[in-house]
Amino acid sequence: MTIRTRFAPSPTGFLHIGGARTALFSWAYARGHGGKFILRVEDTDVARSTPEAVQAIMDGMNWLGLNYDEGPFYQMQRMERYKAVIQEMLAAGTAYLCYTSPDELTAMREAQMTAGIKPRYDGTWRPELGKNLATSPIGVLPVVRFRNPQSGVVTWEDQVKGRISIANDELDDFIIARADGTPTYNFCVVVDDWDMGITHVIRGDDHVNNTPRQINLLHALGVAVPQYAHLSMILGDDGQKLSKRHGAVSVMQYDEDGYLPEAVLNYLARLGWSHGDEEVFDMVQFCQWFDLDHITASAAQFNTEKLNWLNAHYIKQADLGRLATEVTKRLALRGIATDGGAEMAGVVALYRERVSTLNELSDAVEYFYQRIHPATEVLEKHLTAEIRPILLALTGQLADCAWTALSIHHLIEQAVVSNGLKFPKVAMPLRVLLTGGAQSPSIDAVMELLGREEVLLRLNEYLA
Ligand code: GLU
């Protein structure tokens, strides 16, 4: 059997963390089992679906590298197929026309609630052996209802939650086509999963309630029932429902915030799934390891600190050219041009060990490409009257020494030793004048990258 999984987003918003994890698990399950991963766009809620949302979901999947083998299939383009299946069910007697009007339904519901019973369709138009149905009223467009079994239970072995059984008398004859002929949500999902040969439905557990209805429909159609794996929800850092501050935003926001896709993927993989104590792994490894048995049934909690830790790890490992491109792009967005300035790959190499996001990396290296003037207090603290002439002399020597970190280091050292000082006494004011702040990696390496001309310019501005 070829494993076939699908990701079936409703395009009513962007791809958020929960959706991305569902997509990742479905994708990985197919990839790890030589199967196929299908993208299906569930766009039948015309009022809420937008082409922008479709694009946003695809952008998110693209950024994460979750490539699909088939699709995207759009439910709105499959209407004829749904209508044909509805006709077949009507002919087979597994579905029937119901003329109960919305007003009658409301009255029915109210009467049931007053009587203290669960509101449900009362089966007036359900054909039964030996039952005489009323003649269809003129001028009322019927809906189509599924003839749900009235006894027995629907049971499935949920791959995450274990065995789930629902009594059929809990489910009423739900509508599969509205009066205007349009098919309803559960019906489309079932026809799609059937037509697309889906073997494993991996989705959020907000769909658990739909599953018994979908299984009954599949039985009525006489087709195979897939395995179901319902993923528990993701809670925010604070244990509450995901909010805009963490996770409920588009995955593209993570790109904007300076996360690498491989860090987000690695992070998502561990959100409700584990392989021993493994924390850091790439997607090749993940696809090999991923199984449904080790998905946790309890809710997973988002942990920004851990995501940052993983991101820092991947930034340390990333190709320097790629980091350089990322930082160049981010600085450009801030209006800071980098061409003609310090060599970016060298600059990011100097800082990448110290940051956990690309945005922090961009913040850290801004001073290479634009002057950042030190605050007066910082300047006064480090550029003392005693140190001024020493720096001035050093500036003279820097004008014609070999321009390498090593020879720059020697010159600073000489100035330190010949004046009987400690190294920071000279290095700190240099830092302040060159970077605008009192913290930087080794100052000689910074100077080499800044370039002689820029170093002299910045020093002379304060010393000359
Ligand atoms: N379209 C549904 C959603 O976005 C998913 C349905 C399914 O996976 O069966 O929540």
Side-chain angles (χ1 to χ4, degrees):
M1 176 182 80
T2 306
I3 302 277
R4 293 175 63 85
T5 65
R6 72 340 184 248
F7 178 50
S10 305
T12 55
F14 34 60
L15 180 66
H16 52 73
I17 281 293
R21 185 194 53 171
T22 302
L24 170 65
F25 283 12
S26 304
W27 172 84
Y29 197 66
R31 291 286 169 269
H33 291 84
K36 297 278 185 236
F37 174 58
I38 294 143
L39 176 61
R40 175 167 92 216
V41 179
E42 302 201 323
D43 54 354
T44 55
D45 183 347
V46 237
R48 295 177 60 225
S49 300
T50 64
E52 291 75 23
V54 173
Q55 193 53 50
I57 290 165
M58 301 227 201
D59 289 347
M61 289 179 73
N62 251 337
W63 183 64
L64 291 171
L66 301 178
N67 54 337
Y68 38 88
D69 305 299
E70 293 173 27
F73 297 109
Y74 293 85
Q75 289 188 324
M76 285 308 283
Q77 293 172 11
R78 290 177 41 78
M79 285 298 148
E80 291 316 308
R81 170 68 181 146
Y82 304 135
K83 287 178 183 167
V85 177
I86 284 166
Q87 288 312 313
E88 284 166 25
M89 289 183 71
L90 284 170
T94 50
Y96 61 90
L97 300 179
C98 165
Y99 293 89
T100 307
S101 67
D103 286 346
E104 285 170 327
L105 273 180
T106 312
M108 191 187 300
R109 193 169 300 128
E110 278 164 8
Q112 286 165 334
M113 305 238 292
T114 319
I117 46 177
K118 195 171 159 187
R120 53 188 298 137
Y121 175 62
D122 67 359
T124 305
W125 292 92
R126 178 179 167 117
E128 301 288 2
L129 219 57
K131 172 175 167 187
N132 283 325
L133 292 178
T135 36
S136 357
I138 314 268
V140 179
L141 284 176
V143 299
V144 180
R145 286 187 185 269
F146 171 55
R147 199 166 184 283
N148 196 74
Q150 282 176 324
S151 60
V153 287
V154 198
T155 299
W156 79 95
E157 296 296 335
D158 195 277
Q159 302 294 299
V160 177
K161 296 182 181 292
R163 170 175 298 211
I164 300 181
S165 292
I166 307 290
N168 272 321
D169 60 15
E170 292 282 316
L171 313 166
D172 60 2
D173 288 354
F174 55 96
I175 297 173
I176 57 174
R178 301 179 188 90
D180 65 2
T182 57
T184 57
Y185 172 74
N186 275 313
F187 181 78
C188 299
V189 169
V190 161
V191 175
D192 287 351
D193 284 343
W194 168 31
D195 284 356
M196 294 167 198
I198 302 304
T199 59
H200 292 75
V201 171
I202 301 170
R203 62 183 172 200
D205 68 0
D206 46 331
H207 290 284
V208 167
N209 288 339
N210 292 326
T211 308
R213 294 188 169 84
Q214 295 181 4
I215 292 176
N216 280 341
L217 270 172
L218 289 161
H219 283 319
L221 290 164
V223 298
V225 176
Q227 299 284 337
Y228 292 93
H230 287 99
L231 308 176
S232 300
M233 65 185 302
I234 302 171
L235 301 175
D237 274 307
D238 50 6
Q240 304 293 311
K241 211 169 160 306
L242 272 191
S243 72
K244 283 260 157 69
R245 284 186 44 237
H246 39 28
V249 294
S250 162
V251 292
M252 297 314 288
Q253 184 68 44
Y254 288 86
D255 178 25
E256 229 167 87
D257 291 348
Y259 292 91
L260 292 172
E262 61 265 42
V264 174
L265 284 167
N266 189 161
Y267 179 73
L268 288 176
R270 284 285 291 104
L271 214 47
W273 174 86
S274 60
H275 184 83
D277 295 331
E278 303 287 348
E279 291 291 356
V280 183
F281 44 82
D282 64 15
M283 287 302 106
V284 174
Q285 184 63 79
F286 178 56
C287 291
Q288 278 171 16
W289 280 341
F290 183 67
D291 57 1
L292 304 177
D293 302 340
H294 292 88
I295 298 178
T296 37
S298 52
Q301 189 158 343
F302 200 86
N303 181 340
T304 305
E305 229 171 79
K306 187 166 156 194
L307 172 61
N308 288 346
W309 173 76
L310 277 170
N311 204 46
H313 166 83
Y314 285 103
I315 288 177
K316 287 191 190 94
Q317 299 217 319
D319 173 72
L320 279 179
R322 176 182 172 208
L323 291 182
T325 309
E326 281 295 336
V327 171
T328 303
K329 187 177 83 189
R330 282 158 209 275
L331 291 183
L333 284 173
R334 302 176 187 184
I336 302 172
T338 52
D339 34 314
E343 190 232 343
M344 187 59 89
V347 168
V348 298
L350 210 53
Y351 274 94
R352 67 148 133 194
E353 304 277 336
R354 304 169 165 241
V355 299
S356 40
T357 69
L358 295 171
N359 289 3
E360 281 174 29
L361 186 54
S362 309
D363 296 343
V365 307
E366 264 190 4
Y367 74 83
F368 276 95
Y369 307 97
Q370 76 175 6
R371 282 304 299 274
I372 297 185
H373 295 275
T376 319
E377 321 84 74
V378 182
L379 199 60
E380 279 168 2
K381 178 166 171 222
H382 295 283
L383 189 60
T384 56
E386 179 201 8
I387 219 72
R388 225 168 220 288
I390 298 171
L391 284 194
L392 196 59
L394 179 63
T395 307
Q397 294 170 319
L398 287 168
D400 61 5
C401 69
W403 199 255
T404 63
L406 192 65
S407 40
I408 296 168
H409 185 84
H410 284 322
L411 282 183
I412 301 175
E413 193 114 288
Q414 258 173 38
V416 165
V417 174
S418 60
N419 290 287
L421 300 168
K422 294 239 185 312
F423 197 83
K425 266 280 185 216
V426 180
M428 282 308 265
L430 277 176
R431 235 179 219 122
V432 166
L433 296 186
L434 294 172
T435 75
Q439 265 160 3
S440 81
S442 141
I443 191 63
D444 43 44
V446 167
M447 290 165 75
E448 180 184 320
L449 280 163
L450 264 177
R452 190 194 317 264
E453 199 183 326
E454 187 64 24
V455 165
L456 295 181
L457 201 77
R458 292 187 186 190
L459 292 181
N460 282 327
E461 186 178 335
Y462 286 94
L463 298 171

